[in-house]
Amino acid sequence: MPVPVPHQRSVVLPHQAGPVDDACADTAQVAGAPGAGDTTAQHVGGPATAVGRRTDHPAPQGSPEPGQPQPADQRVPADHGPVHQGLTLLLIGENPNSHVPDMWDWAGRKVRLRTARNLTEAERLLTDDVHCILLDLPPREPGDRTERAAGRGGAPDDELGMLRDVLRMATSHAVLVLTYETDAERAADAVRVGAQDYLFRDELDGAVLSRAVRYAVERKRADLAQRQLTESRMLAQENARLERGLLPTPLLDGSNLRFAACYRPGRSRALLGGDFYDTVRTPDGTVHAMIGDVCGHGPDEAALGVELRIAWRALTFAGLSGDELLATLQKVLEHERADDEIFATLCTVDISADGRRAGLCLAGHPAPLLAQAGQRPQLLPYEFGGPALGLLPHARWPRRQVELGGSWSLMMYTDGLIEGRIGQGNQRLGQDGMTELVSRQMAAGLTGEELLEASVREVRDLNGGELTDDVAVLLLDRR
């Protein structure tokens, strides 16, 4: 079958027929009969009566009668841009002699009209520059529509089957249905099925068609925008539920230690960043705590942090600790990271069953802050720490024994807490500034989550706004 050639017709408008004040003035009013220069154009269903669904628009004073040639001084200049920049309509109908009034858009560009007799031809002509589809529904045959549909082996609504096919084919295009006034019920059904609007052939003129096309195009755009907004909201809700599910649930059943945590991702409107933490109690009564930081704070880093946290929990329950555990985590990191330059810092603590001693391993991570009863909070030794995971192939991470005492608070944190600025300069808070800040909060009687929230809030205030890096803080207390 040869590829159908789009029918391009042109007619000039009266000077008074300017753009209509609608949401999108893509087309303008047209003359009611074939204009000069094109003797083949005619209205759908015969000569128009200049009457549409709205008949309260009298012709502009001084306009020529329908069917009369337009004065030369009212013709649209030829320098209004190429044809392909204007509005493009696609007419789909079985009757090849069905035509729509010729139009110019409000900028003086000729409106292109392509015609297709069936869906096969329409699919070939339906390109991205088509703004609206005019679907010319064939008149009903004599007899009840239920009987006719049953005779075709289908349901009564099958007479709109072609419309459904068009809607499936043109999901992003506006669809305008053309039918007869006696088919008002079917026209309403067409809108219910998915068409943007309908027009009656026997009441069609250029002004009505122009207004209906603009309305259909803008309504379709609004529908698509609303659908995209709804899909975006649903996706955001799903992502939020997923990220909440990836945050850890401490497993401390049977322990007399109290747990608190504060988490602030650096990404805007995110719940999860590259920082990660976890706390579990093994069957021998030992409490294991961990906090880490994958370089960067995007979604890829967040995913890698979750993988490392889950791997740490599994390896801890399997009985690994200290250097052996960190070496295994480094292998996980090397196999899962997207780039060889990605690394992660880590701090692990294993607290004895009696709660008086702990083993500390540092992999390029800041040392925890220990506050013992009646003493000022102090940073634990950092000198024996090892490199960050992923930097050296055969690194070692020695385990250091720490005496905790009978009553204490141990705070583990990521560098997002200490790298915030102080005031307007480039000075950073640092570990010493953080120690002083937390000491003041503890002296004020704050503990647990209140202590962590107040500390992070003060760090943010000192920074003069939100912190750009992820922040994770974990607190274990023994009273």
Side-chain angles (χ1 to χ4, degrees):
M1 178 184 296
V3 178
V5 178
H7 298 279
Q8 299 183 7
R9 298 180 289 277
S10 63
V11 70
V12 291
L13 293 175
H15 180 68
Q16 292 84 353
V20 181
D21 237 356
D22 288 315
C24 176
D26 283 322
T27 57
Q29 297 180 0
V30 298
D38 190 344
T39 59
T40 62
Q42 54 184 321
H43 291 287
V44 175
T49 62
V51 178
R53 281 183 290 171
R54 294 185 59 185
T55 59
D56 55 345
H57 297 279
Q61 189 174 5
S63 300
E65 294 296 325
Q68 298 298 321
Q70 309 300 322
D73 59 350
Q74 292 182 355
R75 294 185 182 274
V76 176
D79 58 348
H80 281 271
V83 173
H84 67 273
Q85 292 183 355
L87 197 68
T88 301
L89 309 180
L90 174 60
L91 172 66
I92 305 176
E94 296 179 356
N95 184 0
N97 295 320
S98 294
H99 297 286
V100 297
D102 300 306
M103 292 178 289
W104 295 83
D105 69 12
W106 68 277
R109 295 168 299 196
K110 185 171 64 177
V111 175
R112 288 200 304 177
L113 178 66
R114 301 176 182 174
T115 60
R117 292 170 296 180
N118 50 52
L119 292 179
T120 302
E121 294 182 4
E123 190 171 7
R124 295 174 180 173
L125 298 176
L126 186 62
T127 54
D128 292 338
D129 60 337
V130 173
H131 297 83
C132 184
I133 295 176
L134 306 180
L135 178 59
D136 188 7
L137 293 179
R140 282 179 171 175
E141 301 172 1
D144 181 74
R145 73 171 186 170
T146 303
E147 294 178 359
R148 289 186 287 104
R152 294 194 301 268
D157 280 346
D158 280 349
E159 60 184 5
L160 295 177
M162 187 174 184
L163 172 60
R164 291 189 176 90
D165 292 337
V166 170
L167 294 174
R168 282 192 294 266
M169 178 182 66
T171 56
S172 60
H173 293 77
V175 177
L176 190 63
V177 170
L178 303 178
T179 185
Y180 288 100
E181 187 174 7
T182 54
D183 264 354
E185 181 182 357
R186 182 166 63 156
D189 288 341
V191 175
R192 176 181 58 81
V193 169
Q196 272 63 58
D197 203 354
Y198 64 87
L199 288 175
F200 296 137
R201 294 193 198 89
D202 39 4
E203 294 183 355
L204 187 66
D205 68 2
V208 171
L209 178 61
S210 173
R211 187 179 301 110
V213 167
R214 289 197 300 274
Y215 170 77
V217 170
E218 287 306 306
R219 181 176 177 182
K220 184 64 177 181
R221 289 175 180 172
D223 291 344
L224 290 176
Q226 181 63 38
R227 182 184 306 173
Q228 292 173 354
L229 178 60
T230 301
E231 291 175 352
S232 297
R233 287 175 176 173
M234 293 178 62
L235 181 60
Q237 292 172 358
E238 291 177 359
N239 289 339
R241 289 196 299 269
L242 176 61
E243 290 184 358
R244 288 192 189 98
L246 294 176
L247 290 173
T249 301
L251 300 179
L252 292 175
D253 293 343
S255 173
N256 62 350
L257 300 184
R258 294 188 303 176
F259 171 87
C262 180
Y263 195 91
R264 295 289 186 274
R267 289 187 295 146
S268 175
R269 292 179 291 182
L271 297 176
L272 198 64
D275 291 1
F276 55 98
Y277 66 89
D278 204 352
T279 305
V280 298
R281 182 175 183 265
T282 50
D284 62 357
T286 303
V287 172
H288 303 263
M290 172 270 291
I291 193 166
D293 181 5
V294 178
C295 63
H297 48 267
D300 294 335
E301 290 77 12
L304 183 56
V306 171
E307 292 181 86
L308 293 176
R309 180 186 67 79
I310 295 175
W312 176 87
R313 176 175 285 200
L315 294 172
T316 299
F317 279 123
L320 275 67
S321 63
D323 184 77
E324 185 180 11
L325 186 149
L326 292 176
T328 307
L329 284 178
Q330 175 159 279
K331 292 180 181 178
V332 174
L333 171 66
E334 291 171 347
H335 284 87
E336 297 296 333
R337 62 186 176 184
D339 192 300
D340 290 342
E341 297 182 357
I342 299 296
F343 64 91
T345 64
L346 196 68
C347 171
T348 67
V349 174
D350 54 276
I351 303 171
S352 62
D354 61 7
R356 304 185 68 88
R357 292 171 302 277
L360 172 66
C361 286
L362 296 175
H365 200 87
L369 185 67
L370 176 63
Q372 296 174 313
Q375 298 184 22
R376 180 183 177 86
Q378 294 182 349
L379 294 170
L380 293 180
Y382 179 79
E383 292 77 11
F384 298 97
L389 302 181
L391 293 182
L392 301 177
H394 304 289
R396 301 299 300 271
W397 297 271
R399 178 178 178 272
R400 183 185 180 93
Q401 188 75 14
V402 178
E403 293 295 330
L404 300 176
S407 179
W408 49 265
S409 295
L410 183 67
M411 191 177 83
M412 306 165 66
Y413 53 93
T414 57
D415 59 5
L417 186 67
I418 61 177
E419 291 185 348
R421 289 185 171 86
I422 301 177
Q424 300 297 323
N426 294 324
Q427 185 180 357
R428 305 286 180 172
L429 177 64
Q431 290 179 292
D432 292 338
M434 179 204 65
T435 301
E436 178 65 27
L437 184 151
V438 173
S439 297
R440 291 198 309 270
Q441 301 288 358
M442 286 184 171
L446 298 182
T447 60
E449 291 185 358
E450 290 185 354
L451 172 63
L452 300 185
E453 292 287 349
S455 299
V456 172
R457 184 166 54 250
E458 184 173 347
V459 171
R460 182 183 57 194
D461 293 342
L462 291 172
N463 187 63
E466 291 294 335
L467 301 168
T468 57
D469 198 4
D470 304 327
V471 175
V473 190
L474 183 155
L475 184 66
L476 289 172
D477 287 316
R478 185 174 188 267
R479 300 290 182 179

